[in-house]
Structures are given as structure tokens and as C-alpha cells.
Amino acid sequence: MSSERVYNFSAGPSMLPLSVLRRAAAEMENYGGSGMSVMEMSHRSKVYMDLFQRVKSDLREVMGIPESHEILFMQGGATLQFAAIPMNLMGRTGSADYAKTGVFSKKAAAEAQKYGEVRIAASGEATGFDRIPEKSEITLSENPGYFYYCSNNTIFGTEWNYVPETGSVPLVCDMSSDMLSFPVDISRYGIVYGGVQKNMAPAGMAVVIIDRKLLGGEAAYTPTLMSYEVMAKNDSMLNTPPCYTIYMLGLVLDWVREHGGLSGMNELREVRSSMLYDFLDGSRLFKPFAKKDSRSKMNVTFRTGSEELDAEFVKSAAAQGLVNLKGHRLTGGMRASIYNAMPVEGVEKLVAFMEEFERSHR
């Protein structure tokens, strides 16, 4: 095994900032003079409670979360929320509208069907999820409990470039793969949530940001740990929370602030994605998958048109320290996930290798 760091283009769990990893390593055995690791201490101790409240406060500050919204740290990742959301919200009307624009929104809609009527308000499935529906293509049903969409689709490499207009219907968004990468007006949403293993922290938790007006409407059969009202009343500590993941989120938030906050993250994602797409648009060998107006700034999907050549590219790139570029099994091809922690230098090296690979395969 190499002792050198690689550029990790994995869709998740993704790379973390090197300075964050080094800080965590320095505090591993003795956090804050406590004589123990965060991994070892009681979640009820003063040391940890101070850490916990600071992370919540920092997240509220960095994301600009208004006091009208509660922050929950929940286990089960984003996938558990596929069930928690309808259990907590669908009972208001017995139905919900979903935009089906990728694998995870499709899975969320299928899960929600267990708890009420799901209506597909928009879909990109007919063209293989290579685009996001336009505003005019969204059709809301009569009196849905909420409208659900996934802002960024990691598998197909598409991203919403607008916020759907839903009037008084609560807007629910899975932001697992682009949360913390750009400024968001949280006040427009009923729920914003995401698994943290892309831009925020190691795997093991979902952050749920919910308008307090939506608390208390869960179905009677909702498991206690999936009740947003119960979790809010217990400050996400009904049971032992994912203590170390929360600690790591705090370190990442410090790093984000040091690099210009969400505006700084947005500038970096524009630089990284533009660099890759500019090359792809002029390439004779590599072709982007997503339609131009729907391209993700987090997950860039592309291919050569030959499965053998794709495999050769992925293998050769890995030998150069550019790892985890193989596309999802459903799509094939390649996928470069360029989350917040990916240095611009990593994308520069990838583009340079793609140029070299193209020259040698004319």
C-alpha cells in the first residue's frame, strides 16, 4: 500500500479535508484536556454537551438556519428519512407529491407509498434520468401533504438549478450530496435533510432541519426514534447519538468558515466543475452524461462509449493516484465526485490525465 494520499473521487463516503483529519488525529487520545477521546466519553458529560451545543450553533450560523427551524441529528442515514418523512408529514392529507429524478428520489417515493398516496409530480425517468424537469413540467396534485425532491443526484450527475415553487405546500428536500456546498434559503423549506458522508462528516448520521410548525403530526405507529417531535424535545439525545460523527461535523464546519463559508464553498464548486465540464465539452473521446442545463456541480458523470476503454481509464487513473472514478453499476462509465474537500489541484490533475489519455487513444 502507498503511504501517499490519493485524490479520492468517491461518491461517498467521500474525502475529508486533510487539516480536519490531522486535527482529529491530534485530539484522538485527549480531547480538550479531558484525558479521553470523544469516542470514549459519555454523551451526557459536560465536556460532550458543550461540544454538542457548539456544533449545533455553528451549523445554524454557517447555514443561516432561522430560529423557526429545529436541527436534529438522527441515525440511519438519509435512507431512514425515506420512511420518517411520510410517517411525520403525510398524515396531514394522506398524500404527497414526489419529483422522481434519480435512484434515491425513486426509492424515497416507493418507501412513502407504504404510508399513503404518492403522486409523481415530475419525472426524468423517461430519458434515463439525464435531466431535471423544467418548472413548467411540475404538476402539483390537489392538497398534498408535502412536495419532495432530491436536489442533487449522485448516480446520474444531475442537479436542480432552481427551487420548486409549491406555494403553501411544505417543501421537503434531500440535500445529501450538496448540503454545505452553496448558500440555501432554509426559510423556504419545511424540511432539508441529508446524510453527512458527502460534504459534512464521516458516515453514520443524517442532519434534519425542520420547520417547527411541522412537528407533532406523526402517525400513531411512528417509531419513537423516528418522531421529529420526540427528537426535537430531547435535543436529538433520546438515546446515545452518533457522538464522533457530530464531533467531526464540528471540525468540518470550522474548516468551511476558514475557507469563506458557504459562499467560499460555492466559488470552489464552480471552479472545480467548470474545469471538468469545459474539458468534456471539447473532448473528442469523453462525453458527459447529463444534459447541459441539469449538470451536477458535485458529481460529474462521463464515458467514452466503450466499456473496455472506460475500464482501462479507471485502472490507469488509479495508478496515478486518482481513485474511485468508476461509475455507478446502474450507469457504467465514470463519475468524478468533487465535493467540498476535493482540492482544485485534484481536478487539475484529473483533467491533465484525461488529456493525456485522450492523446494516447486517438
Side-chain angles (χ1 to χ4, degrees):
M1 296 292 289
S2 171
S3 61
E4 296 184 2
R5 292 276 295 174
V6 297
Y7 290 110
N8 179 12
F9 291 91
S10 171
S14 66
M15 66 186 303
L16 288 160
L18 186 56
S19 61
V20 167
L21 294 175
R22 287 173 173 166
R23 183 175 168 189
E27 296 178 339
M28 176 60 73
E29 296 182 30
N30 185 354
Y31 170 77
S34 65
M36 67 183 84
S37 171
V38 173
M39 288 184 178
E40 303 170 293
M41 62 181 58
S42 166
H43 61 293
R44 304 291 184 186
S45 67
K46 184 180 186 306
V47 175
Y48 189 79
M49 287 301 297
D50 287 347
L51 180 159
F52 179 89
Q53 294 302 332
R54 184 169 64 253
V55 174
K56 278 190 65 177
S57 176
D58 288 349
L59 183 62
R60 188 175 295 279
E61 177 189 328
V62 169
M63 289 191 67
I65 301 170
E67 290 300 327
S68 58
H69 286 61
E70 181 63 68
I71 298 170
L72 306 176
F73 297 138
M74 299 184 70
Q75 299 178 60
T79 303
L80 191 70
Q81 299 308 311
F82 294 173
I85 287 164
M87 283 181 179
N88 281 269
L89 300 189
M90 196 179 275
R92 299 168 189 272
T93 67
S95 68
D97 288 353
Y98 277 67
K100 191 191 297 183
T101 56
V103 169
F104 295 109
S105 55
K106 185 176 180 178
K107 287 184 175 181
E111 184 71 19
Q113 286 178 335
K114 299 176 182 178
Y115 311 105
E117 183 180 1
V118 170
R119 297 158 182 164
I120 303 304
S123 177
E125 192 166 18
T127 58
F129 295 126
D130 64 350
R131 58 183 287 270
I132 297 297
E134 296 179 5
K135 293 180 182 180
S136 60
E137 297 177 76
I138 298 176
T139 304
L140 295 179
S141 64
E142 185 177 348
N143 196 32
Y146 58 91
F147 174 89
Y148 179 104
Y149 76 109
C150 179
S151 59
N152 183 78
N153 303 290
T154 59
I155 292 176
F156 298 97
T158 61
E159 189 172 21
W160 292 66
N161 58 23
Y162 66 93
V163 178
E165 296 288 347
T166 59
S168 61
V169 177
L171 188 60
V172 176
C173 185
D174 175 355
M175 287 190 183
S176 291
S177 49
D178 56 4
M179 189 183 288
L180 275 194
S181 72
F182 68 108
V184 176
D185 182 0
I186 299 295
S187 67
R188 297 183 66 174
Y189 294 87
I191 294 178
V192 169
Y193 81 94
V196 297
Q197 67 272 17
K198 317 286 189 177
N199 281 316
M200 305 180 78
M205 180 175 75
V207 170
V208 178
I209 302 165
I210 179 170
D211 189 330
R212 291 190 173 96
K213 295 177 183 176
L214 298 179
L215 296 173
E218 70 270 24
Y221 52 74
T222 304
T224 302
L225 277 172
M226 293 170 69
S227 164
Y228 294 144
E229 182 179 45
V230 171
M231 291 300 286
K233 285 181 177 178
N234 288 273
D235 201 11
S236 301
M237 286 202 180
L238 184 67
N239 68 334
T240 307
C243 297
Y244 199 78
T245 301
I246 292 169
Y247 157 74
M248 289 295 290
L249 171 59
L251 300 190
V252 170
L253 290 170
D254 286 345
W255 178 85
V256 168
R257 284 193 295 199
E258 290 166 5
H259 289 78
L262 297 193
S263 295
M265 294 299 101
N266 190 42
E267 290 176 11
L268 285 171
R269 81 177 197 151
E270 292 287 348
V271 169
R272 288 188 299 256
S273 61
S274 294
M275 197 180 302
L276 260 176
Y277 286 122
D278 286 348
F279 169 76
L280 288 170
D281 285 339
S283 175
R284 295 183 303 276
L285 179 63
F286 300 99
K287 302 302 175 188
F289 173 75
K291 298 297 183 184
K292 199 164 189 175
D293 61 353
S294 298
R295 290 173 174 175
S296 168
K297 294 181 174 66
M298 297 279 96
N299 312 95
V300 180
T301 50
F302 57 98
R303 59 197 60 181
T304 65
S306 163
E307 291 184 7
E308 292 75 16
L309 206 55
D310 289 350
E312 181 185 343
F313 173 82
V314 170
K315 182 178 179 180
S316 299
Q320 299 298 315
L322 306 166
V323 304
N324 292 317
L325 283 164
K326 184 178 180 180
H328 191 274
R329 62 185 180 276
L330 292 177
T331 61
M334 283 76 70
R335 172 176 55 179
S337 296
I338 46 176
Y339 300 123
N340 285 354
M342 174 59 67
V344 172
E345 294 77 14
V347 180
E348 289 174 339
K349 186 172 181 180
L350 174 59
V351 170
F353 177 73
M354 293 171 75
E355 291 173 339
E356 179 187 332
F357 190 87
E358 182 173 281
R359 282 194 299 270
S360 64
H361 291 79
R362 286 179 177 174

